[in-house]
Amino acid sequence: MKHRLTLFFVISFLLPFSIWAQVLTPGTTSGFPGTQNPNDRNGFPNPATQNNQGKSKGPQKSGRAALDDSTKQVYGPSTMYYVHESDVVNSREMKRRVDTTLSLFHRYLFQEKSGFLTANLGNDGTAVRNVFFQSPGSLGTQLGYSVYSPYAFLSDQVRYYNSKSPYSEVEYNLGGGGQTRLNFNFARNVDSLWNIGIALQRMVADKVLTDAAFKSGEQSLLGQWGLLLHTNFQSKNKKYRLLGHINYFDQGTNDQGGVKLSKTLTADEALKYIDNTAILSNSFSQSNDKFIKFHAYHEYVGWKGLQLFQSLDVENRTVKFRDKAFQQSLTDGFYPRTYIQYIQAPTEDSLYNENQWSSYSHQTGLKGIYKQFVYRTYLKQRYWSVYNPMNESKLDRFENYVGLWINQSFNKNIDFTAEGEYLLASDYRLKASFQSPIFQVSAQRISYSPSVAQNWVYNTSYRWKNDFANISMDEISGGINLKSRFIYFKPGITIQRISDWVFFDSLATPTQTKSDIGVFRTSVDLGGQWRKFSWFTKVYANTQTGPDVLRMPNLLIDANLALDVQYKKLLYVQFGIDIHHQSAYYADAYQPALQQYHLQNNYQIPAFVQIDPYVSLRINRVRLFFKMSHANYGLLNNNYYTAYLHPAMSRVFGYGVKWLLFD
């Protein structure tokens, strides 16, 4: 209740700023543009088809009704657009539009938005992992404490708007287990060349396991804040362009460790109950991940074939974990060992882990366009450091990179891309891809450094200083696109070879394999549309060779069936159902002291099917959904684990609303 009141006050505080900005903007009127995609049945209404173009029929109306009939609708989804930084960096003239459809609007949880290719600890906002192995996005040494990072604003997904009029977006979702999310976005043009904006997100969730704090009425499991300030500018002659943002993130979690088992309560039996006791039942364990990042990109177009560009990045981050009931948790077997007699913890009987991370980098280079050929070459320099206050020691490194990216477009739909990046005397990436309407194929070779968490940890229960070799990976992937008027069929394949893989064993200690791991994964994306029905099914079949230290399910299915209904061009309704299936496998356990998923050989997570019926609506500018998650709970199966001893949410009801304002 406390969290809901907090969110209510936040909404009450933020909405007046949006309304105030609209009132002070001269010459703006409400409504939507006069054009829309004719194939978009869930899009905003076309004012050209409305009988409210200023000609009154019947007696003259007064008040708001008269204003609505006579006001010309100017601003809307088609009068504004946004770009990602990659569009500008790669010299691609793209105008991305805000989504106004009902398609998958009901998928509000993080793992749902990923197509169930990620998993957590049962609640939205908890530690995230990928279900299938993915290559890293960046070269060089990373901190390695990254299970909460996906919830933050991602730099490559920041939207840089040209909104013309003030644009506001308010989204509020509430689900079972206290899974509550508030998103607020606002952007406006200072003038025709300069746009500024702000994005705010707040997420909270309640505990699903019983501990001491839960019994005393404190149900909060986690709280998260995200704040993004962004701006973009282009000179009048279009020679100079600037994109920049400041990104703040703060995640706090009261870790529970999973379900506490006993001789009479096995892992299978625990799935029958919703009032299980937590392993860390004393409520003395807490994680915190906080960072602030500054990023700027600017470019100068001297000639079309010769342009200068530069990006700057500064990051400061602190990751902490503390368990004040360390000795009890050690006795229960949650931690493997103790060094408490050798080092002084911040408080008595405490496990404490902290890392203070800083990094500074710049990327400077040349790029250009010649006909349909685009190139980019650069030099990148990066300095990072990490400080551990437990032993007052520090690691740091200065890194130098060189890179090249080229793209050849043969026509509007066919192009070839190749890129390479090299961290001197260490990491490298080579990648090439070909895209066409019929098929796509890509291949890459990558060698990257182990993370700080894999090489260096020093705290009360875990301690190591390793010098692991680089991890390397070869990957080939491709797919075919076949479609007709009512149906599409997209088979695909991914082949990966992973060498010198670093994993965390059953005691959460890092180990490097000496044998290669082979991954062979096929996929089928099948769907279509007929009259008012639309549907899709995505199937992933995964097999592996080599040492069994990279655990993934053999089969994953994600499906959706929807029926669209329209009522008098005013109300759009979508009735639908989601079906998700995952095969049995030895899913990883989670160690919060290290923010790491690690192997476990005690229990094979059973296969499961989850069914989620829903209804989504759009009334003018407002979209809503109502959803029953895991409606089959207790029918096909009791429940399932998203990670070892972390049960999924049982049958819960959720709803959400999203409101777009264009003036």
Side-chain angles (χ1 to χ4, degrees), residues 603-663:
Y603 181 72
Q604 186 180 49
I605 305 300
F608 66 87
V609 175
Q610 178 172 324
I611 300 175
D612 304 338
Y614 67 90
V615 57
S616 299
L617 308 94
R618 184 179 59 73
I619 307 171
N620 202 8
R621 345 181 150 185
V622 180
R623 283 174 290 170
L624 308 96
F625 74 84
F626 302 93
K627 175 179 177 179
M628 181 63 72
S629 297
H630 208 169
N632 59 308
Y633 175 82
L635 301 176
L636 299 178
N637 50 271
N638 292 308
N639 201 355
Y640 63 92
Y641 290 107
T642 59
Y644 177 57
L645 299 184
H646 289 273
M649 198 68 62
S650 57
R651 185 190 300 114
V652 293
F653 176 75
Y655 63 89
V657 58
K658 191 170 186 177
W659 186 14
L660 306 183
L661 299 170
F662 295 94
D663 53 11

Side-chain angles (χ1 to χ4, degrees), residues 402-455:
V402 291
L404 174 66
W405 181 93
I406 59 174
N407 173 263
Q408 175 65 58
S409 295
F410 299 97
N411 59 39
K412 183 179 179 181
N413 299 314
I414 301 177
D415 65 31
F416 170 79
T417 302
E419 62 179 296
E421 186 175 60
Y422 177 48
L423 167 57
L424 301 185
S426 184
D427 305 9
Y428 64 88
R429 182 201 303 271
L430 297 171
K431 184 177 181 181
S433 63
F434 178 81
Q435 303 282 333
S436 76
I438 304 300
F439 72 93
Q440 305 85 38
V441 62
S442 68
Q444 70 169 324
R445 164 79 175 176
I446 182 172
S447 175
Y448 62 97
S449 302
S451 68
V452 171
Q454 293 169 335
N455 267 335

Side-chain angles (χ1 to χ4, degrees), residues 205-259:
D206 291 341
K207 297 175 180 177
V208 295
L209 302 176
T210 303
D211 57 21
F214 187 93
K215 292 178 180 179
S216 63
E218 178 52 56
Q219 300 182 16
S220 176
L221 174 67
L222 62 91
Q224 178 196 114
W225 284 101
L227 176 65
L228 181 73
L229 304 174
H230 58 86
T231 186
N232 68 93
F233 169 80
Q234 187 173 33
S235 63
K236 191 173 183 180
N237 61 5
K238 297 186 178 181
K239 293 285 188 180
Y240 180 77
R241 191 162 191 174
L242 170 68
L243 309 173
H245 66 261
I246 298 174
N247 187 359
Y248 173 78
F249 178 76
D250 188 356
Q251 166 95 15
T253 305
N254 298 312
D255 298 286
Q256 294 193 292
V259 175

Side-chain angles (χ1 to χ4, degrees), residues 44-87:
F44 280 53
N46 185 346
T49 64
Q50 308 296 311
N51 295 322
N52 60 351
Q53 301 300 315
K55 295 182 180 180
S56 175
K57 295 183 179 182
Q60 185 174 354
K61 302 176 183 178
S62 61
R64 184 179 180 88
L67 178 63
D68 289 344
D69 279 348
S70 61
T71 301
K72 183 180 179 181
Q73 297 175 327
V74 176
Y75 298 109
S78 65
T79 64
M80 64 172 291
Y81 66 89
Y82 66 89
V83 298
H84 293 312
E85 184 176 313
S86 60
D87 302 331

Side-chain angles (χ1 to χ4, degrees), residues 10 13 56 96-97 295 319 357 384 395 399 453 481 605 619:
V10 170
F13 175 77
S56 175
R96 302 176 184 267
R97 306 294 179 179
H295 174 80
V319 179
W357 167 270
W384 62 263
L395 294 179
E399 301 173 337
N481 297 334
I605 305 300
I619 307 171

Side-chain angles (χ1 to χ4, degrees), residues 154-445:
L154 303 180
S155 293
D156 59 351
Q157 295 298 314
V158 173
R159 297 182 175 187
Y160 296 100
Y161 289 94
N162 185 338
S163 59
K164 295 181 175 62
S165 63
Y167 168 67
S168 302
E169 177 182 306
V170 181
E171 181 177 13
Y172 177 74
N173 300 315
L174 178 63
Q179 299 175 117
T180 306
R181 180 191 295 268
L182 169 69
N183 292 329
F184 174 80
N185 288 278
F186 175 76
R188 67 164 297 160
N189 275 40
V190 178
D191 54 36
S192 61
L193 304 173
W194 181 21
N195 184 280
I196 58 175
I198 181 174
L200 175 71
Q201 66 178 20
R202 170 65 170 165
M203 181 194 300
V204 296
D206 291 341
K207 297 175 180 177
V208 295
L209 302 176
T210 303
D211 57 21
F214 187 93
K215 292 178 180 179
S216 63
E218 178 52 56
Q219 300 182 16
S220 176
L221 174 67
L222 62 91
Q224 178 196 114
W225 284 101
L227 176 65
L228 181 73
L229 304 174
H230 58 86
T231 186
N232 68 93
F233 169 80
Q234 187 173 33
S235 63
K236 191 173 183 180
N237 61 5
K238 297 186 178 181
K239 293 285 188 180
Y240 180 77
R241 191 162 191 174
L242 170 68
L243 309 173
H245 66 261
I246 298 174
N247 187 359
Y248 173 78
F249 178 76
D250 188 356
Q251 166 95 15
T253 305
N254 298 312
D255 298 286
Q256 294 193 292
V259 175
K260 189 172 186 177
L261 303 181
S262 64
K263 292 182 179 180
T264 58
L265 183 67
T266 64
D268 285 326
E269 287 293 321
L271 288 175
K272 300 178 181 179
Y273 308 106
I274 59 175
D275 57 349
N276 294 298
T277 301
I279 293 176
L280 303 176
S281 57
N282 290 307
S283 307
F284 287 148
S285 56
Q286 294 181 330
S287 297
N288 180 250
D289 189 352
K290 181 188 296 185
F291 68 70
I292 185 167
K293 299 179 181 180
F294 169 79
H295 174 80
Y297 170 86
H298 62 142
E299 63 180 29
Y300 177 76
V301 182
W303 298 272
K304 192 173 182 180
L306 186 61
Q307 307 171 25
L308 301 174
F309 73 92
Q310 184 181 60
S311 64
L312 304 171
D313 287 276
V314 178
E315 177 184 3
N316 282 288
R317 184 178 177 196
T318 302
V319 179
K320 299 178 182 179
F321 174 81
R322 171 178 289 165
D323 186 354
K324 295 182 180 179
F326 170 59
Q327 291 292 350
Q328 181 61 50
S329 301
L330 184 69
T331 302
D332 293 340
F334 190 72
Y335 304 115
R337 65 188 66 84
T338 177
Y339 295 103
I340 202 165
Q341 64 269 34
Y342 304 114
I343 60 177
Q344 181 62 44
T347 60
E348 188 177 355
D349 188 23
S350 169
L351 188 158
Y352 187 74
N353 191 48
E354 179 177 346
N355 287 275
Q356 300 173 13
W357 167 270
S358 297
S359 68
Y360 312 87
S361 68
H362 81 89
Q363 184 181 119
T364 305
L366 300 173
K367 67 174 188 170
I369 306 173
Y370 178 73
K371 294 184 177 180
Q372 292 182 308
F373 177 77
V374 182
Y375 76 92
R376 185 175 76 250
T377 182
Y378 58 87
L379 166 69
K380 177 180 175 181
Q381 293 181 305
R382 174 176 179 250
Y383 171 78
W384 62 263
S385 67
V386 58
Y387 173 73
N388 187 331
M390 292 297 297
N391 61 349
E392 299 181 346
S393 58
K394 176 182 178 181
L395 294 179
D396 62 354
R397 184 179 178 185
F398 187 79
E399 301 173 337
N400 291 287
Y401 304 74
V402 291
L404 174 66
W405 181 93
I406 59 174
N407 173 263
Q408 175 65 58
S409 295
F410 299 97
N411 59 39
K412 183 179 179 181
N413 299 314
I414 301 177
D415 65 31
F416 170 79
T417 302
E419 62 179 296
E421 186 175 60
Y422 177 48
L423 167 57
L424 301 185
S426 184
D427 305 9
Y428 64 88
R429 182 201 303 271
L430 297 171
K431 184 177 181 181
S433 63
F434 178 81
Q435 303 282 333
S436 76
I438 304 300
F439 72 93
Q440 305 85 38
V441 62
S442 68
Q444 70 169 324
R445 164 79 175 176

